[in-house]
Amino acid sequence: LDLAVNRINAAFCRNGWEDRFVTFVMLVLDPQRHEINIVNAGHMPPFLRRIDGRVISLAPDEPGLPLGVCDDYSYTMTSHKLESGDFVAIYTDGFSEANNAQKELYSIERLEQRIGMKTQGVTEIGRSILSDVRQFVGGTPQSDDM
């Protein structure tokens, strides 16, 4: 997985976009080993939600650089065990940095609380997060992707 991201980064850098970069996270599920493997290239760290509601940030010890910053950067993979009922939430900064009319941020902490709520499944969590963000921002225009 880390070798694949190294190649993606090198290809991105070869395209001559010196003033551009991309944050990126690649996650591969290994159902036989009950684990996920992650390479993070400067993206927001995914959250692992345990079945008991605990939410764990899957931030690597050393966050990788965004794609396109350094052509020979070496990305590293981390692995995390999964139990039945766990899920992983991957999101963009458009959620955590959503602003309301008072210029307050939605925040990673608020997002983490939503991810940890009791639920009937991931669809319900996703809808709850979208609804809460929309309610928080009110009529303020969306400033970033979600």
Side-chain angles (χ1 to χ4, degrees):
L1 185 62
D2 48 345
L3 296 175
V5 177
N6 289 342
R7 287 184 174 178
I8 292 168
N9 180 58
F12 188 93
C13 289
R14 280 194 303 270
N15 281 314
W17 299 324
E18 289 81 16
D19 61 338
R20 305 210 188 241
F21 66 89
V22 173
T23 66
F24 177 84
V25 63
M26 183 179 284
L27 184 144
V28 174
L29 172 67
D30 185 335
Q32 292 180 341
R33 297 181 68 185
H34 303 279
E35 70 180 21
I36 52 170
N37 301 308
I38 301 173
V39 175
N40 192 327
H43 196 72
M44 308 297 294
F47 284 118
L48 171 60
R49 184 193 180 276
R50 297 289 187 193
I51 191 146
D52 64 5
R54 287 180 297 131
V55 179
I56 302 161
S57 174
L58 299 182
D61 292 336
E62 288 189 36
L65 293 175
L67 299 177
V69 172
C70 178
D71 64 349
D72 62 350
Y73 185 79
S74 183
Y75 293 90
T76 57
M77 181 182 73
T78 59
S79 297
H80 305 276
K81 286 290 187 190
L82 296 176
E83 303 296 330
S84 180
D86 291 349
F87 68 81
V88 176
I90 302 171
Y91 59 96
T92 69
D93 60 0
F95 286 95
S96 57
E97 296 177 1
N99 288 300
N100 62 15
Q102 292 76 38
K103 301 293 184 200
E104 298 167 322
L105 295 178
Y106 184 79
S107 82
I108 289 177
E109 293 79 18
R110 186 166 176 165
L111 179 61
E112 185 176 350
Q113 288 174 349
R114 278 283 157 180
I115 291 169
M117 67 181 251
K118 289 188 186 252
T119 179
Q120 297 299 314
V122 295
T123 301
E124 182 184 342
I125 287 277
R127 288 183 179 143
S128 171
I129 291 168
L130 287 171
S131 174
D132 194 50
V133 171
R134 287 181 183 130
Q135 182 178 358
F136 176 81
V137 300
T140 305
Q142 185 175 329
S143 62
D144 203 350
D145 62 329
M146 287 192 211

